[in-house]
Amino acid sequence: MQKNLPHICPSCSTPLSVKCLVCEKCQTEVSGIFHLPMLASLSNQEQNFIVEFVKCSGSLKVMAQKLELSYPTVRNLLDDLIEKIETAQKSIRQ
Amino acid sequence: MNKWLINPFIYIAGAKALLWGWAAMLVTAIIGMMSYTHFDGVIDVHTAGKAFSLGYHLLEQLVDWSCATLLFWGAGVLVSKSSIRLIDVAGTMAFARIPMIFAAIVGYGIKIPGQLKTVDEITRAITPMVVVCSLVSLVFLIWMITWMYNAFKVSCNIKGGKATVVFIIGLLFSEIISHILLYFISNR
């Protein structure tokens, strides 16, 4: 079962940070306060979109063919993602 | 399948939609000529009492489509945050006219020969068949308007209440302008 990475506190809605990372092979634990990258705040679908976009060399036309969607649909998804990222960047700066 | 019926523009836009739309407009014009069905406005479907040339029926389709395309593209440029392409608006608006093929076919059931001048003639002409065919035509008209709305939303990337308000205003203006243009062309 794929789990979604929580990135917002359910109690006070501020961005979460990572306290502990674990090596699955040797059980080494690394503790500290590590801030999650901005991309982690995006949904799995949005992250997959970004990965596919990079793999298509940034071509919306190729993306549209690969996803079997129309060009404006893919462009709209990208524009929505850009808006979300800009909003996330603004809140980080604040 | 449901998505294709309500919003095919998730999957098709641009030049591909334009070619399909133009083909549909040609078929609509041919059937309209034979069934005396006129499309003398962006969202108008009427029965005429006489036949017109194929050229005139094609002109109606062209004027209706181009009025809608230019007005909605202009609205999109003014209102949308995205960079929109004219080919997407043109293609989706052309594709949206496909349901009018069925309205033109239904026109065979409403074919009223000659001009109706008296109330008596009009009353006799409104048979149950005419009423049923008019209601069926209305269904296809609503389907076309739904497609036009979704075409506008997708090709111009405008959502929510803003999309609805701008679409209604654009539709009204394109209907008025297409009517005026076709009036002047037919009365030249």
Side-chain angles (χ1 to χ4, degrees), chain A residues 68-73 75-77 79-80 83, chain B residues 9-13 82-83 85 154-155 157 159:
Chain A
E68 290 178 345
L69 297 173
S70 65
Y71 177 94
T73 301
R75 187 213 51 222
N76 295 347
L77 288 169
D79 286 343
D80 293 343
E83 203 178 326
Chain B
F9 310 109
I10 295 170
Y11 308 107
I12 188 167
S82 297
S83 162
R85 305 188 309 173
V154 170
S155 60
N157 193 18
K159 299 180 185 73

Side-chain angles (χ1 to χ4, degrees), chain B residues 7-187:
Chain B
N7 189 3
F9 310 109
I10 295 170
Y11 308 107
I12 188 167
K16 206 172 176 181
L18 186 65
L19 290 172
W20 276 107
W22 277 353
M25 283 156 59
L26 174 64
V27 170
T28 305
I30 293 168
I31 299 173
M33 180 187 69
M34 296 190 293
S35 67
Y36 296 2
T37 308
H38 278 272
F39 300 87
D40 54 349
V42 171
I43 51 169
D44 265 310
V45 184
H46 293 291
T47 185
K50 53 179 180 170
F52 285 81
S53 67
L54 177 62
Y56 184 75
H57 281 270
L58 280 168
L59 190 65
E60 280 184 340
Q61 295 295 317
L62 191 67
V63 168
D64 292 344
W65 162 72
S66 53
C67 283
T69 297
L70 290 171
L71 260 127
F72 285 122
W73 174 73
V77 165
L78 286 170
V79 173
S80 177
K81 292 177 190 173
S82 297
S83 162
I84 63 172
R85 305 188 309 173
L86 179 59
I87 185 71
D88 287 327
V89 181
T92 52
M93 285 297 160
F95 197 92
R97 299 201 67 82
I98 287 175
M100 289 296 98
I101 294 175
F102 304 105
I105 294 170
V106 169
Y108 275 108
I110 317 176
K111 207 166 171 180
I112 300 171
Q115 293 249 317
L116 303 172
K117 289 174 185 165
T118 66
V119 173
D120 206 33
E121 280 177 349
I122 294 168
T123 313
R124 266 187 274 124
I126 304 175
T127 60
M129 179 68 154
V130 167
V131 173
V132 167
C133 287
S134 300
L135 290 171
V136 172
S137 282
L138 189 60
V139 169
F140 292 121
L141 189 62
I142 291 167
W143 186 11
M144 180 185 75
I145 293 171
T146 304
W147 274 16
M148 285 177 76
Y149 175 63
N150 287 319
F152 175 63
K153 275 187 8 176
V154 170
S155 60
C156 297
N157 193 18
I158 302 173
K159 299 180 185 73
K162 200 198 261 184
T164 308
V165 169
V166 176
F167 177 75
I168 290 169
I169 294 169
L171 195 65
L172 278 169
F173 273 99
S174 59
E175 169 72 2
I176 291 166
I177 291 168
S178 61
H179 252 297
I180 292 170
L181 279 173
L182 284 166
Y183 174 79
F184 279 118
I185 290 167
S186 64
N187 285 297

Side-chain angles (χ1 to χ4, degrees), chain A residues 60-71:
Chain A
L60 284 176
K61 196 177 168 185
V62 174
M63 274 283 278
Q65 283 167 358
K66 199 171 180 181
L67 299 176
E68 290 178 345
L69 297 173
S70 65
Y71 177 94

Side-chain angles (χ1 to χ4, degrees), chain A residues 18 49 62 67 89:
Chain A
V18 175
F49 182 91
V62 174
L67 299 176
Q89 282 181 326

